Amino acid sequence: MSLFKARDWWSTILGDKEEFDQGCLCLANVDNSGNGQDKVIVGSFMGYLRIFSPHPAKTGDGAQAEDLLLEVDLRDPVLQVEVGKFVSGTEMLHLAVLHSRKLCVYSVSGTLGNVEHGNQYQMKLMYEHNLQRTACNMTYGSFGGVKGRDLICIQSVDGMLMVFEQESYAFGRFLPGFLLPGPLAYSSRTDSFLTVSSCRQVESYKYQVLAFATDADKRQETEQQKLGSGKRLVVDWTLNIGEQALDICIVSFNQSASSVFVLGERNFFCLKDNGQIRFMKKLDWSPSCFLPYCSVSEGTINTLIGNHNNMLHIYQDVTLKWATQLPHIPVAVRVGCLHDLKGVIVTLSDDGHLQCSYLGTDPSLFQAPNVESREVNYDELDVEMKELQKIIKDVNKSQGVWPMTEREDDLNVSVVVSPNFDSVSQATDVEVGTDLVPSVTVKVTLQNRVILQKAKLSVYVQSPLELTCDQFTFEFMTPDLTRTVSFSVYLKRSYTPSELEGNAVVSYYRPTGIPRVIQCKFRLPLKLICLPGQPSKTASHKITIDTNKSPVSLLSLFPGFASESDDDQVNVMGFHFLGGARVTLLASKTSQRYRIQSEQFEDLWLITNELILRLQEYFEKQGVKDFACSFSGSVPLQEYFELIDHHFELRINGEKLEELLSQRAVQFRAIQRRLLARFKDKTPAPLQHLDTLLDGTYKQVIALADAVEENQGNLFQSFTRLKSATHLVILLIGLWQKLSADQVAILEAAFLPLQEDTQELGWEETVDAAISHLLKTCLSKSSKEQALNLNSQLNIPKDTSQLKKHITLLCDRLAKGGRLCLSTDAAAPQTMVMPGGCTTIPESDLEERSVEQDSTELFTNQRHLTAETPRPEVSPLQGVSE
């Protein structure tokens, strides 16, 4: 138990979603009981008035039913509650309740109960005043030195002070120079009202000056008043505090002295009666409320100050005496006598947390038991420690980097892609050359198990694919609801996307308030971006995929892409992408191989991936479990490097264009300033061709802006092609080295870290850092390589030679037995099992250069990637004649 927490004596939560402020709390003997015990009076902005008399059976008990004496719905927001002698003819205490357009005074009385239900309390309206202006706050006191009764002064939001002498309205006065209302208090010793204006200064107005000043209904000053009749409202004194005030309070030491306390946003001030500063204290936190009260020490005052850090500080003048932690942020604080306990601190939060607490400490009754002394067997502890470490290591290996948590699904998400095109295409504003661009409908179904709040569905597809709608919002107010939404997908621009996979992500809040995210992936049909085409006899780029099963008819694998003129040819098929690219797929009858060929290297990716996926689905349906694909050719790094160079060249070009555009913009603004100075000059002077220079510079700025925009479009398109080529290279490396799914995922994370690249963070430097990390950790050969420090700051490189060297070295180390992993042992030097005839990985720069030469021989720049494979060659259209 913390020493500096407030001791909870009694607490309760008021209402449901009600709001409170500093004027909503009051402590007084409102029922005029003989024991003089205070009652807690609370009003809310929802219009509820509650009166409590806490008497817990033991410290820390919550509110019991009998603690609530009275609860009344007044139907109007309660701005402030005060208790005083507000009814004429009696000195009994009455309750004044301030509404926005009404002031009501009530009498609270109790009746002794004759049965076990206890006493009964009732509230009777004594009188009310309907206000002509909207009220802000009020104060009360013996204005003008009256005896035995209290008068009420209400401040309106437009700066009018309205004085009520109990049942009758006295007068109203407007404050001079008023803008916004501030806190209001009454000083009985000086008979004056104090407030803090919007000019950030404390102002004091004598009651006598207010009473004899011009009436609020006669604001126009006459000539006699201007000459000085003594009736104009003038301020007694002012003090500039330089900040807005949260509250103001007046405390009297004795009959001869009193102090004015003002709580600001960062300071609290103590002033004398005449406005001079006694002291001030700078606060290191944001205060929320305060309460000054007399101290036991002579000539000092204690102040309770609550802040937005859930703390309550007690100051004696400017010295911090105690700090205590509260369970809420207080907006009002009072001190009173409750149930024969003096000095109870009552705090109220803006959401209705009412707590009665006290300062001090509770004695600790816990006594630690004696520990049995025994000898420690260190050998047994070592054995147990080794077993536990082995269990932890096995769990980490089986679960991967992040531990998987089992829990019931709060929300089930399913996606269904329509097998047919939309009858009416939903494609709009397309930039594809074909006349009609098809669209396909996707349906997403959400079914909740529990009540969910703020569920938001976001759908993502790869550019240039476009969605008719990608954001949806749901509210699951009851369990087991089903919501279905539909949208269409189409190709918007004239190039091929890097993936046909989409992702539906749902973010929501559980009933406990914890945010959760769930996602569901879906695959779009190939025919959305591709049409049947004529096979091509020649192509610049070819790859061959080997399988361990007999070749399958391409008509059964791609039933929607059979050409009418080639019905008798089952081992060749052509694809025509809507962006313009053409790809040919051939299947050999004599061998278990498939060849994909095209004029562009990156266009091979989608058909190759689609072929492998459809082959896996075909053999799964046949019940074949040992189907596998492989790639025995050389990895096409040279073609891949050409795409990297093209993408990097566009990035460099974009930087140059942006720098040139910035220079021309600076020049354009300088010419504008020169021209403006010439036009403002009273003596006309020749322009010296500044207008011609301005026009020329303007045309250059527009041309450069168009060039930057065009380069950005080309860069985005080049990045999409680079991602397609990267997917293809990763696929070929995985088939070449027979990598597991986890190892392929590591390669994808290293080669595809960004969804889109920018000038600040691009693909080249990010991938280079990721590959360098792999070469330094899991693919390292010696501790010397592990000691290399990677640059922590990613900057655009000067060229791509370093990146290409690292990619080549990565493939070389994978070819020589290196394996990818993310375990804790990855940084340890590996003893790799080398295939026959393979040399060790070099450790010096000289050896690395020799490896680059060997790698150049290994990854040769071949257009036909299987020319050196010792097997019968299949010509591009040989399968047709077979």
Side-chain angles (χ1 to χ4, degrees):
M1 184 177 293
S2 172
L3 181 68
F4 295 104
K5 286 185 179 179
R7 307 294 105 187
D8 184 11
W9 183 67
W10 179 89
S11 62
T12 185
I13 302 296
L14 304 178
D16 182 23
K17 296 182 179 180
E18 295 188 41
E19 296 182 10
F20 304 84
D21 205 352
Q22 62 182 8
C24 298
L25 177 64
C26 180
L27 262 68
N29 185 20
V30 67
D31 59 343
N32 299 282
S33 60
N35 55 14
Q37 300 293 324
D38 290 335
K39 311 298 185 298
V40 181
I41 305 110
V42 184
S44 75
F45 289 162
M46 298 294 290
Y48 288 95
L49 180 73
R50 300 176 178 89
I51 301 177
F52 292 93
S53 177
H55 48 279
K58 62 179 180 178
T59 300
D61 279 358
Q64 304 297 322
E66 58 270 17
D67 293 342
L68 180 61
L69 304 183
L70 189 64
E71 182 175 16
V72 182
D73 183 6
L74 301 179
R75 302 186 179 276
D76 289 317
V78 177
L79 304 182
Q80 192 172 345
V81 290
E82 298 290 352
V83 174
K85 303 172 183 178
F86 301 136
V87 178
S88 60
T90 178
E91 293 190 4
M92 302 285 285
L93 296 178
H94 290 77
L95 175 64
V97 181
L98 179 64
H99 303 285
S100 57
R101 284 282 184 168
K102 188 168 53 175
L103 172 66
C104 301
V105 175
Y106 297 94
S107 170
V108 179
S109 59
T111 304
L112 293 176
N114 297 324
V115 292
E116 62 180 4
H117 299 305
N119 302 336
Q120 300 176 4
Y121 287 82
Q122 59 184 358
M123 194 168 67
K124 180 181 179 182
L125 178 65
M126 304 303 295
Y127 62 87
E128 68 177 17
H129 294 289
N130 292 315
L131 307 178
Q132 300 300 319
R133 299 178 181 276
T134 303
C136 176
N137 51 25
M138 69 174 177
T139 185
Y140 70 95
S142 54
F143 305 162
V146 296
K147 302 295 183 181
R149 57 186 180 137
D150 292 325
L151 280 63
I152 298 176
C153 178
I154 299 175
Q155 180 181 209
S156 67
V157 295
D158 58 351
M160 182 179 179
L161 295 183
M162 298 170 283
V163 178
F164 295 89
E165 294 183 356
Q166 297 183 339
E167 291 87 350
S168 61
Y169 171 72
F171 57 86
R173 302 289 184 263
F174 279 99
L175 297 177
F178 181 87
L179 181 61
L180 295 172
L184 181 67
Y186 172 73
S187 174
S188 59
R189 206 186 76 82
T190 60
D191 192 26
S192 58
F193 295 96
L194 292 100
T195 184
V196 180
S197 67
S198 55
C199 298
R200 299 183 176 182
Q201 60 184 10
V202 184
E203 299 178 352
S204 174
Y205 297 93
K206 291 285 188 180
Y207 177 74
Q208 297 296 332
V209 176
L210 286 171
F212 290 104
T214 306
D215 191 75
D217 299 330
K218 303 174 183 178
R219 298 195 66 178
Q220 288 78 15
E221 295 181 349
T222 64
E223 291 295 329
Q224 182 182 4
Q225 293 167 358
K226 289 181 179 179
L227 294 175
S229 61
K231 292 187 178 181
R232 190 174 60 176
L233 180 57
V234 293
V235 66
D236 184 25
W237 55 262
T238 61
L239 175 68
N240 194 332
I241 60 174
E243 60 183 318
Q244 296 293 339
L246 302 180
D247 200 0
I248 186 169
C249 189
I250 298 167
V251 176
S252 297
F253 292 111
N254 45 52
Q255 296 296 328
S256 60
S258 64
S259 296
V260 178
F261 283 84
V262 181
L263 180 66
E265 295 172 328
R266 283 296 177 184
N267 303 274
F268 85 92
F269 305 85
C270 178
L271 313 178
K272 296 180 181 180
D273 293 334
N274 57 2
Q276 296 179 357
I277 296 180
R278 289 188 64 234
F279 61 82
M280 66 172 287
K281 174 68 176 178
K282 181 175 176 58
L283 306 176
D284 297 329
W285 22 259
S286 178
S288 59
C289 62
F290 87 136
L291 178 69
Y293 61 96
C294 293
S295 172
V296 293
S297 301
E298 185 67 26
T300 61
I301 293 182
N302 288 354
T303 308
L304 296 171
I305 304 180
N307 61 37
H308 289 275
N309 297 332
N310 294 15
M311 295 292 294
L312 188 67
H313 292 83
I314 295 89
Y315 287 90
Q316 188 176 76
D317 288 346
V318 295
T319 304
L320 180 64
K321 289 296 185 179
W322 194 267
T324 184
Q325 183 81 34
L326 294 174
H328 57 266
I329 299 175
V331 296
V333 57
R334 299 290 184 269
V335 175
C337 177
L338 301 175
H339 196 56
D340 294 330
L341 183 62
K342 296 181 180 180
V344 177
I345 300 174
V346 182
T347 54
L348 175 67
S349 69
D350 60 350
D351 57 355
H353 193 145
L354 180 65
Q355 176 173 310
C356 299
S357 54
Y358 59 91
L359 306 178
T361 58
D362 289 336
S364 176
L365 302 179
F366 173 76
Q367 197 170 16
N370 294 327
V371 180
E372 296 181 3
S373 60
R374 60 177 181 175
E375 295 182 358
V376 179
N377 191 331
Y378 292 100
D379 295 335
E380 293 181 359
L381 290 179
D382 288 340
V383 173
E384 185 180 358
M385 178 65 71
K386 290 179 181 179
E387 291 178 355
L388 293 176
Q389 289 177 344
K390 183 180 179 181
I391 294 174
I392 293 172
K393 190 174 182 180
D394 294 339
V395 169
N396 289 337
K397 286 184 178 180
S398 62
Q399 290 187 351
V401 180
W402 301 106
M404 303 298 294
T405 58
E406 295 184 1
R407 62 175 183 84
E408 297 182 8
D409 291 334
D410 302 323
L411 184 68
N412 292 325
V413 182
S414 59
V415 182
V416 177
V417 181
S418 174
N420 302 318
F421 290 147
D422 297 336
S423 57
V424 178
S425 177
Q426 302 298 317
T428 57
D429 299 331
V430 295
E431 302 173 7
V432 184
T434 54
D435 296 334
L436 181 61
V437 176
S439 64
V440 65
T441 299
V442 180
K443 292 184 178 180
V444 181
T445 303
L446 290 80
Q447 185 175 11
N448 65 315
R449 187 178 57 85
V450 296
I451 297 176
L452 303 179
Q453 302 174 0
K454 300 178 182 178
K456 182 179 180 181
L457 168 65
S458 302
V459 187
Y460 305 93
V461 293
Q462 294 291 330
S463 181
L465 294 172
E466 193 73 16
L467 300 167
T468 54
C469 184
D470 59 353
Q471 300 285 340
F472 304 90
T473 305
F474 307 93
E475 289 289 343
F476 295 97
M477 304 308 295
T478 58
D480 299 324
L481 289 179
T482 302
R483 297 283 187 269
T484 303
V485 294
S486 300
F487 52 88
S488 296
V489 188
Y490 60 92
L491 185 70
K492 188 171 184 178
R493 294 179 180 85
S494 59
Y495 56 94
T496 307
S498 61
E499 284 184 278
L500 289 175
E501 191 175 73
N503 197 9
V505 181
V506 183
S507 60
Y508 60 92
Y509 287 87
R510 302 194 73 231
T512 57
I514 301 175
R516 289 284 171 86
V517 176
I518 187 172
Q519 63 177 348
C520 179
K521 295 185 177 181
F522 59 93
R523 184 165 186 82
L524 298 171
L526 180 64
K527 62 182 180 180
L528 181 64
I529 61 168
C530 187
L531 299 174
Q534 289 296 327
S536 176
K537 296 182 180 180
T538 59
S540 302
H541 303 275
K542 308 171 186 178
I543 59 174
T544 300
I545 303 298
D546 298 333
T547 64
N548 59 351
K549 300 297 177 183
S550 301
V552 183
S553 169
L554 297 182
L555 294 179
S556 59
L557 289 179
F558 298 90
F561 291 90
S563 179
E564 295 180 358
S565 60
D566 295 330
D567 289 341
D568 56 338
Q569 305 297 337
V570 296
N571 60 340
V572 63
M573 185 170 290
F575 301 89
H576 181 204
F577 288 103
L578 296 182
R582 295 180 180 272
V583 181
T584 302
L585 174 62
L586 301 100
S588 173
K589 287 185 177 180
T590 58
S591 60
Q592 303 166 352
R593 305 180 198 134
Y594 301 86
R595 176 177 297 162
I596 306 98
Q597 58 189 27
S598 176
E599 292 298 327
Q600 300 294 330
F601 173 68
E602 64 272 11
D603 294 333
L604 299 172
W605 154 244
L606 282 180
I607 301 302
T608 305
N609 187 51
E610 196 74 20
L611 171 66
I612 295 176
L613 290 177
R614 297 195 181 200
L615 283 173
Q616 291 173 348
E617 292 177 358
Y618 175 83
F619 284 107
E620 283 181 3
K621 292 180 181 179
Q622 300 295 326
V624 178
K625 298 182 179 180
D626 59 343
F627 171 76
C629 297
S630 61
F631 175 72
S632 56
S634 56
V635 179
L637 291 184
Q638 193 60 39
E639 293 86 344
Y640 184 48
F641 290 161
E642 291 176 2
L643 289 171
I644 294 176
D645 290 336
H646 178 63
H647 175 263
F648 185 73
E649 181 182 352
L650 288 175
R651 285 188 64 195
I652 297 298
N653 191 32
E655 274 197 345
K656 293 179 180 178
L657 287 174
E658 289 182 1
E659 183 179 358
L660 194 58
L661 178 61
S662 177
Q663 294 175 359
R664 291 297 179 268
V666 172
Q667 177 180 325
F668 185 72
R669 290 192 293 268
I671 298 172
Q672 282 182 320
R673 287 194 295 269
R674 291 283 185 90
L675 275 176
L676 185 60
R678 292 292 177 90
F679 290 145
K680 285 185 175 181
D681 195 355
K682 295 181 180 179
T683 59
L687 297 179
Q688 297 179 346
H689 301 289
L690 284 175
D691 54 344
T692 307
L693 187 59
L694 181 70
D695 182 62
T697 307
Y698 173 75
K699 291 179 180 178
Q700 289 182 1
V701 170
I702 296 300
L704 285 171
D706 293 339
V708 169
E709 187 176 358
E710 181 182 359
N711 185 81
Q712 287 178 348
N714 294 335
L715 180 62
F716 192 82
Q717 187 172 344
S718 173
F719 184 63
T720 303
R721 292 195 172 106
L722 179 60
K723 285 198 294 185
S724 298
T726 304
H727 279 295
L728 179 60
V729 169
I730 293 173
L731 174 66
L732 296 180
I733 292 176
L735 297 178
W736 173 44
Q737 290 296 316
K738 296 180 175 56
L739 300 180
S740 63
D742 293 337
Q743 292 176 324
V744 172
I746 295 174
L747 273 184
E748 290 179 348
F751 278 88
L752 295 168
L754 304 174
Q755 288 297 323
E756 60 181 21
D757 62 341
T758 60
Q759 293 294 347
E760 293 78 15
L761 182 63
W763 183 85
E764 285 81 6
E765 57 266 29
T766 310
V767 173
D768 190 23
I771 295 178
S772 300
H773 177 74
L774 292 178
L775 294 175
K776 178 188 171 188
T777 54
C778 58
L779 295 179
S780 65
K781 183 62 173 62
S782 64
S783 58
K784 185 187 298 183
E785 293 182 354
Q786 297 174 16
L788 295 176
N789 292 324
L790 299 179
N791 189 8
S792 59
Q793 186 174 2
L794 298 181
N795 298 318
I796 183 170
K798 296 180 180 179
D799 52 40
T800 58
S801 59
Q802 187 78 8
L803 172 62
K804 291 188 286 189
K805 183 177 73 172
H806 287 160
I807 294 176
T808 305
L809 190 59
L810 173 72
C811 295
D812 182 62
R813 294 195 177 183
L814 287 175
K816 293 180 179 179
R819 283 299 173 258
L820 301 167
C821 63
L822 292 178
S823 66
T824 55
D825 299 334
Q830 296 184 0
T831 304
M832 293 184 280
V833 181
M834 301 295 176
C838 291
T839 58
T840 58
I841 294 177
E843 299 182 3
S844 65
D845 294 338
L846 183 62
E847 291 176 340
E848 189 167 317
R849 282 195 291 271
S850 66
V851 166
E852 292 179 14
Q853 295 175 1
D854 297 340
S855 302
T856 305
E857 297 175 0
L858 178 63
F859 308 107
T860 55
N861 183 12
Q862 302 178 58
R863 295 303 179 185
H864 194 286
L865 304 178
T866 56
E868 297 181 4
T869 308
R871 59 174 181 266
E873 181 59 37
V874 181
S875 66
L877 291 179
Q878 180 182 347
V880 180
S881 60
E882 290 176 0

